Structures are given as C-alpha cells and as structure tokens.
Amino acid sequence: MYGKMYSACLYGIDGVLIQVEVDISNGLPQTSIIGLPDSAIREAVERVRAGIKNCGFTFPLQRTTINLAPADLRKEGSAFDLAIALGILCTSGQLILPQEEKLLLIGEMALDGSLRPVTGVLPMVDRAKREGFSAVLLPKDNAAEAALIENMNIYAIGHLNELLALGQKEAGLAASDKNSPLRIISLEGLRFKRGLHPDQQVHQAEDYADVLGQHHVKRALTIAAAGMHNIMLIGPPGTGKTMLIKRLPTILPPMTEQEALETTKIFSAAGKLKEPAAGLLRTRPFRSPHHTISSGGLIGGGTIPKPGEVSLAHRGILFLDELPEFNRQVLEVLRQPLEDKCVTISRARAVHTFPARFMLAASMNPCPCGYLGSEHPGHPCICSPSRIAQYRSKISGPLLDRIDLQVDVPRPREWTREKFSLSSAEMRAQVLEAHERQIQRYEKLQISWNSELAGTALRRFTKLDSDTADMLHQTIEALGLSMRAYDRILKLSRTIADLDGKDRISSSHVAEAIQYRNLDRPQNETVV
C-alpha cells in the first residue's frame, strides 16, 4: 500500500514543499522515516503513533516506511506530523481525503491527537499557492496567519478526532463503529472564515512635537527618512539621541502591499508574528538589539540558518544605541548587508540569502566620558586625545563610510515648550512628498529610494554643474574621503534636492550634505 501527502518546511525564510510518501508492507512492525530528517522529525513517529491510537484509529502493525522528498534536502521542525499521520491513515484505508483540491498539510501533533501551531506558516502557504495548491489543512491557531494569503481555502482543526467525527457523520456510521472504512470526507465544515483584518495604524503616542529644540537634528532625521539614509547621532548623555531616533518610525512612509508581505513572511519564519489576525504588518519594523548581541544574532545563523536582526529590520530601521559598546567584530559584519541589501550565509550543504534592506540608525557619545565639547558646567571632559582616538577606533572607517549622516546633538537650550516645534505629522508630510518624487523618477528601475542608487543610475540622477562638482572635489580631497563617501554625499544631495522640490542638485544641497559628515573632520576639532 502506497500513499502520498504534501507538507512544507522552512528553508531560510522561504517555504519549501515536501512530498510525504508512505509505504506499508508486510513484515515485522517497524516504522522508519528517511529523507534527511532532524531529530524532531524522527521523534514524530512516537507522537503520531500515540495520537492515532488516542483518537480511535489503528496504527498499522506492519512495516511502514515514510520518505520525505526531495531526499537530498535536510528537513527540520515538527510541521510534518499532520501529513505523516494522515498519510498513514489514508494509506491504511482508515480515512479518505477529498481529491478535488490539491491539499497542503501542516501541523504538530500532541500525544492525545490535538494539533499545535508551528512557525513559518505564512511563507509555506505562500509557496504552496505559487506551486498550484488550492487548500491547506492546519491547526486552528495557525489559521489566521494562513488566511493572509489570498485565494487559498483554509481548513482548520484543533484535534485529529474531528476528522473521525466528520467522517462518521458523513458516512452515517454509529459512534461505536470506529474501524469501518470512511467514505471521502468533505472538508467544507472545517473551512476557516476569514474576517476583515483592519490595517495596522501608526501609533502617534510619541511625537517629535514633544522634543524641545534640536531643529537641525529634526532636519537631518527628515532627510534620512526621505531617502532611507543611514544616520548616526553624536552627543553627550541626556541630549535626547535615543528619544529622537525612537520617533523615527512616525515619519516613515507606509509600506506597500509587497513590502508588507515580505516583512510579515520574515517575522513568521522567525516565529515573531504576534498577532496574525490583525493582518499583514503595516508599520515599518524598528529593531533595537542589545550591545551584547553576537554576530549570528545580528545577521542570522545556525546549523540551518535563521534570520537575524538585520533581516527582521527589513524595510524598516535597525537602531544600535551606544554604537562603540558593540563588539567591533559584530559591527564589521554589517558592512556586507549595508552595501548589498541582503545577507548571504554559506553552509556545507547550501547557501542561504536573507533580505536586509534596512536603514541603520545609531547613536554614540563623543568620547568615553561623554562630555567632550558639551560645555556642561558640572561635567568637564576628562578624556585624553589618545583615549578619544581609541574610543572612536572601535568604529572602523569602512563602516563610517556607509553612514550617510553623522549629526551632532548638543545639550538643549530650550527648557519649555516652544510655540513652534515641528511635529511628526509635518515632518512626515515632507517625507511623503519627497518619496513620491523618487517613486516617479525610478518607476522603470528596481529601486524606490535615493539611498539605493548605484553605478550608472547614480551618475544619471545626480549630475552636478561644474562649480558644484569642483566644490565637492575640493572637499573630498581636503577631508580625505573615500569614493564610497563621495557617492553617499551625492545620494544625500539628491534627497535634499527632493525635499526642496528641485530636479537639479545645487551647490547648497551638496554643501548641506557635506556638513553632515561630522566624523570625517580631524579629531582635534570640537565635536559639539
């Protein structure tokens, strides 16, 4: 007797369809799973055996072989339990599933036959839809997440005996006649009814109107948000660096439908999708890992790699507070994702690529004690030039090159609320207008932001007149900047021109972009 079911597993953050083949033949009672399963899958035999018996079905006392194909792909997780159980029941003639729909089976089984939710359902169901599947049967707790994929029939059960009861009811069998062959079960009674998922709204509890002064910092944050440029705030303790960056999501443009799906799939694969019933994630992610994070936690890793913080921040913001406190080796792994907008992790059996298109936001003190140039009456700076140089050397030059805006945040001079203080709504209006100009400009390219410009496109959309080009070249030579820093100044100038509503970049736009390269100045200059 031979039967075949379809299930799925995660491969990085993408779903992969797996054929679950079941062969039952005469021989000594033995059940084996082949096809490079991990320990959780090998243990599925005992879970399924107990679950089948405790639901009133019969586990076959024959030689049972279960193959997970393709056999050369390593599988992990407990999502195959339901497919293995139904494969055994259908192959042994105890259950007949409908054939009119191509059905995907996902779910972990408890010893009593109840189904437990698994992670990564969204990318699995999305893959199944693209492969021509029309329906999925899975645990009730995963139904809302699966329902985020349109045009898929979602059938949800909480316990395996629901299929037994459904089959007996449709076949007109008595409750005591459990071993009778059941006719084809219609799953319509198990259909999950989609509700209306209200779009998530941007919470405006935190507003830039609450920030006293710091108008030049608000301007820099508006530029960063308008072009998705990396930004670093530098200043003494207590000047509001963290507060300013944490309000950055309130001025970012909303995500498109495709961006929302990408982001939600990553959170689903990482097991961090908290409220799937609320629909796709509509607010851009804001991730703020602790400075003790490892390289693997930041970019992803593991025997079978999982997404790290840079991928969880995809289409959003990665905030590194007190940047020099992070391990230098950890910071250096950021260089590739900042440049390539993705993370590539190589293993012996495969190479995994995770998306990592994020804005890096960071903060730091100007020196180890934190008060260099602050003119604080009670806290004069006590750091020697060598200590300051050593402190700043924790951040390498190549990493600094990739940070477009390096902005001073001095001690605030205002201690009462001003009559005029830019609010998040006003800043967001400027950002949306500049972003709309970028969308129209790059409609024929595969980019959406000025920060993504490169190569020929960069030279095409950032042309300078001769006087402006000469000024920029002289500045580059005076500061000893790299070609990467030169390109980033051009991108930043393009965004400033967009905020100004100009098609051409002028010398004032380039001059403003240059002034944000604070850490490129000689270190003996006053920082704040």
PDB file of all heavy atoms in Angstrom, residues 67-84:
ATOM      1  N   ASN A  67       8.996   8.462   3.530  1.00  0.00           N
ATOM      2  CA  ASN A  67      10.069   9.163   2.823  1.00  0.00           C
ATOM      3  C   ASN A  67       9.690  10.624   2.643  1.00  0.00           C
ATOM      4  O   ASN A  67       8.575  10.951   2.208  1.00  0.00           O
ATOM      5  CB  ASN A  67      10.322   8.522   1.454  1.00  0.00           C
ATOM      6  CG  ASN A  67      11.417   9.246   0.690  1.00  0.00           C
ATOM      7  OD1 ASN A  67      12.447   9.581   1.264  1.00  0.00           O
ATOM      8  ND2 ASN A  67      11.190   9.493  -0.592  1.00  0.00           N
ATOM      9  N   LEU A  68      10.619  11.510   2.979  1.00  0.00           N
ATOM     10  CA  LEU A  68      10.422  12.953   2.801  1.00  0.00           C
ATOM     11  C   LEU A  68      11.239  13.387   1.591  1.00  0.00           C
ATOM     12  O   LEU A  68      12.474  13.368   1.628  1.00  0.00           O
ATOM     13  CB  LEU A  68      10.864  13.714   4.049  1.00  0.00           C
ATOM     14  CG  LEU A  68      10.230  13.261   5.378  1.00  0.00           C
ATOM     15  CD1 LEU A  68      10.774  14.093   6.530  1.00  0.00           C
ATOM     16  CD2 LEU A  68       8.714  13.365   5.312  1.00  0.00           C
ATOM     17  N   ALA A  69      10.556  13.726   0.514  1.00  0.00           N
ATOM     18  CA  ALA A  69      11.241  14.075  -0.733  1.00  0.00           C
ATOM     19  C   ALA A  69      11.092  15.577  -1.020  1.00  0.00           C
ATOM     20  O   ALA A  69      10.055  16.165  -0.713  1.00  0.00           O
ATOM     21  CB  ALA A  69      10.645  13.259  -1.882  1.00  0.00           C
ATOM     22  N   PRO A  70      12.116  16.218  -1.574  1.00  0.00           N
ATOM     23  CA  PRO A  70      13.354  15.637  -2.102  1.00  0.00           C
ATOM     24  C   PRO A  70      14.290  15.142  -0.996  1.00  0.00           C
ATOM     25  O   PRO A  70      14.444  15.801   0.035  1.00  0.00           O
ATOM     26  CB  PRO A  70      13.983  16.793  -2.876  1.00  0.00           C
ATOM     27  CG  PRO A  70      13.424  18.028  -2.249  1.00  0.00           C
ATOM     28  CD  PRO A  70      12.044  17.675  -1.810  1.00  0.00           C
ATOM     29  N   ALA A  71      14.912  13.999  -1.241  1.00  0.00           N
ATOM     30  CA  ALA A  71      15.681  13.318  -0.210  1.00  0.00           C
ATOM     31  C   ALA A  71      17.013  13.993   0.095  1.00  0.00           C
ATOM     32  O   ALA A  71      17.606  13.720   1.142  1.00  0.00           O
ATOM     33  CB  ALA A  71      15.919  11.864  -0.629  1.00  0.00           C
ATOM     34  N   ASP A  72      17.500  14.863  -0.801  1.00  0.00           N
ATOM     35  CA  ASP A  72      18.807  15.486  -0.560  1.00  0.00           C
ATOM     36  C   ASP A  72      18.709  16.811   0.181  1.00  0.00           C
ATOM     37  O   ASP A  72      19.719  17.480   0.394  1.00  0.00           O
ATOM     38  CB  ASP A  72      19.539  15.697  -1.888  1.00  0.00           C
ATOM     39  CG  ASP A  72      18.774  16.627  -2.825  1.00  0.00           C
ATOM     40  OD1 ASP A  72      17.569  16.843  -2.593  1.00  0.00           O
ATOM     41  OD2 ASP A  72      19.387  17.120  -3.788  1.00  0.00           O
ATOM     42  N   LEU A  73      17.501  17.212   0.596  1.00  0.00           N
ATOM     43  CA  LEU A  73      17.302  18.465   1.318  1.00  0.00           C
ATOM     44  C   LEU A  73      17.081  18.151   2.796  1.00  0.00           C
ATOM     45  O   LEU A  73      16.181  17.388   3.147  1.00  0.00           O
ATOM     46  CB  LEU A  73      16.087  19.209   0.754  1.00  0.00           C
ATOM     47  CG  LEU A  73      15.707  20.510   1.454  1.00  0.00           C
ATOM     48  CD1 LEU A  73      16.772  21.573   1.196  1.00  0.00           C
ATOM     49  CD2 LEU A  73      14.343  20.997   0.972  1.00  0.00           C
ATOM     50  N   ARG A  74      17.908  18.714   3.652  1.00  0.00           N
ATOM     51  CA  ARG A  74      17.748  18.452   5.080  1.00  0.00           C
ATOM     52  C   ARG A  74      16.495  19.153   5.597  1.00  0.00           C
ATOM     53  O   ARG A  74      16.269  20.324   5.332  1.00  0.00           O
ATOM     54  CB  ARG A  74      18.976  18.934   5.848  1.00  0.00           C
ATOM     55  CG  ARG A  74      18.935  18.612   7.341  1.00  0.00           C
ATOM     56  CD  ARG A  74      20.286  18.832   7.994  1.00  0.00           C
ATOM     57  NE  ARG A  74      21.283  17.898   7.491  1.00  0.00           N
ATOM     58  CZ  ARG A  74      21.427  16.649   7.916  1.00  0.00           C
ATOM     59  NH1 ARG A  74      20.608  16.167   8.840  1.00  0.00           N
ATOM     60  NH2 ARG A  74      22.348  15.877   7.412  1.00  0.00           N
ATOM     61  N   LYS A  75      15.680  18.396   6.362  1.00  0.00           N
ATOM     62  CA  LYS A  75      14.426  18.940   6.907  1.00  0.00           C
ATOM     63  C   LYS A  75      14.520  19.053   8.418  1.00  0.00           C
ATOM     64  O   LYS A  75      15.180  18.244   9.073  1.00  0.00           O
ATOM     65  CB  LYS A  75      13.226  18.046   6.544  1.00  0.00           C
ATOM     66  CG  LYS A  75      12.918  17.963   5.061  1.00  0.00           C
ATOM     67  CD  LYS A  75      13.615  16.795   4.456  1.00  0.00           C
ATOM     68  CE  LYS A  75      13.322  16.660   2.965  1.00  0.00           C
ATOM     69  NZ  LYS A  75      14.166  15.636   2.332  1.00  0.00           N
ATOM     70  N   GLU A  76      13.827  20.052   8.960  1.00  0.00           N
ATOM     71  CA  GLU A  76      13.778  20.206  10.409  1.00  0.00           C
ATOM     72  C   GLU A  76      12.418  20.727  10.829  1.00  0.00           C
ATOM     73  O   GLU A  76      11.663  21.273  10.015  1.00  0.00           O
ATOM     74  CB  GLU A  76      14.869  21.159  10.901  1.00  0.00           C
ATOM     75  CG  GLU A  76      14.641  22.607  10.501  1.00  0.00           C
ATOM     76  CD  GLU A  76      15.557  23.554  11.247  1.00  0.00           C
ATOM     77  OE1 GLU A  76      16.408  23.095  12.026  1.00  0.00           O
ATOM     78  OE2 GLU A  76      15.409  24.770  11.047  1.00  0.00           O
ATOM     79  N   GLY A  77      12.086  20.535  12.095  1.00  0.00           N
ATOM     80  CA  GLY A  77      10.835  21.048  12.635  1.00  0.00           C
ATOM     81  C   GLY A  77       9.792  19.960  12.804  1.00  0.00           C
ATOM     82  O   GLY A  77       9.994  18.793  12.458  1.00  0.00           O
ATOM     83  N   SER A  78       8.646  20.377  13.336  1.00  0.00           N
ATOM     84  CA  SER A  78       7.565  19.428  13.643  1.00  0.00           C
ATOM     85  C   SER A  78       6.349  19.616  12.755  1.00  0.00           C
ATOM     86  O   SER A  78       5.279  19.095  13.054  1.00  0.00           O
ATOM     87  CB  SER A  78       7.164  19.595  15.113  1.00  0.00           C
ATOM     88  OG  SER A  78       6.793  20.938  15.381  1.00  0.00           O
ATOM     89  N   ALA A  79       6.490  20.372  11.659  1.00  0.00           N
ATOM     90  CA  ALA A  79       5.333  20.671  10.807  1.00  0.00           C
ATOM     91  C   ALA A  79       4.859  19.472   9.992  1.00  0.00           C
ATOM     92  O   ALA A  79       3.791  19.527   9.376  1.00  0.00           O
ATOM     93  CB  ALA A  79       5.660  21.830   9.856  1.00  0.00           C
ATOM     94  N   PHE A  80       5.631  18.366   9.975  1.00  0.00           N
ATOM     95  CA  PHE A  80       5.257  17.202   9.161  1.00  0.00           C
ATOM     96  C   PHE A  80       4.337  16.219   9.890  1.00  0.00           C
ATOM     97  O   PHE A  80       3.861  15.264   9.290  1.00  0.00           O
ATOM     98  CB  PHE A  80       6.513  16.446   8.708  1.00  0.00           C
ATOM     99  CG  PHE A  80       7.451  17.266   7.877  1.00  0.00           C
ATOM    100  CD1 PHE A  80       8.629  17.752   8.406  1.00  0.00           C
ATOM    101  CD2 PHE A  80       7.150  17.564   6.561  1.00  0.00           C
ATOM    102  CE1 PHE A  80       9.489  18.511   7.646  1.00  0.00           C
ATOM    103  CE2 PHE A  80       8.004  18.319   5.788  1.00  0.00           C
ATOM    104  CZ  PHE A  80       9.179  18.796   6.335  1.00  0.00           C
ATOM    105  N   ASP A  81       4.091  16.438  11.187  1.00  0.00           N
ATOM    106  CA  ASP A  81       3.327  15.455  11.963  1.00  0.00           C
ATOM    107  C   ASP A  81       1.966  15.158  11.348  1.00  0.00           C
ATOM    108  O   ASP A  81       1.568  13.993  11.211  1.00  0.00           O
ATOM    109  CB  ASP A  81       3.132  15.958  13.400  1.00  0.00           C
ATOM    110  CG  ASP A  81       4.416  15.934  14.200  1.00  0.00           C
ATOM    111  OD1 ASP A  81       5.477  15.716  13.602  1.00  0.00           O
ATOM    112  OD2 ASP A  81       4.351  16.141  15.422  1.00  0.00           O
ATOM    113  N   LEU A  82       1.225  16.200  10.978  1.00  0.00           N
ATOM    114  CA  LEU A  82      -0.127  16.004  10.442  1.00  0.00           C
ATOM    115  C   LEU A  82      -0.076  15.244   9.119  1.00  0.00           C
ATOM    116  O   LEU A  82      -0.891  14.338   8.882  1.00  0.00           O
ATOM    117  CB  LEU A  82      -0.825  17.350  10.262  1.00  0.00           C
ATOM    118  CG  LEU A  82      -2.259  17.306   9.746  1.00  0.00           C
ATOM    119  CD1 LEU A  82      -3.148  16.498  10.688  1.00  0.00           C
ATOM    120  CD2 LEU A  82      -2.815  18.708   9.546  1.00  0.00           C
ATOM    121  N   ALA A  83       0.870  15.588   8.246  1.00  0.00           N
ATOM    122  CA  ALA A  83       0.969  14.908   6.958  1.00  0.00           C
ATOM    123  C   ALA A  83       1.348  13.441   7.146  1.00  0.00           C
ATOM    124  O   ALA A  83       0.832  12.560   6.450  1.00  0.00           O
ATOM    125  CB  ALA A  83       2.001  15.615   6.074  1.00  0.00           C
ATOM    126  N   ILE A  84       2.233  13.153   8.097  1.00  0.00           N
ATOM    127  CA  ILE A  84       2.609  11.764   8.361  1.00  0.00           C
ATOM    128  C   ILE A  84       1.415  10.980   8.905  1.00  0.00           C
ATOM    129  O   ILE A  84       1.136   9.854   8.465  1.00  0.00           O
ATOM    130  CB  ILE A  84       3.790  11.721   9.346  1.00  0.00           C
ATOM    131  CG1 ILE A  84       5.057  12.286   8.686  1.00  0.00           C
ATOM    132  CG2 ILE A  84       4.040  10.296   9.831  1.00  0.00           C
ATOM    133  CD1 ILE A  84       6.229  12.443   9.632  1.00  0.00           C
TER     134      ILE A  84
END
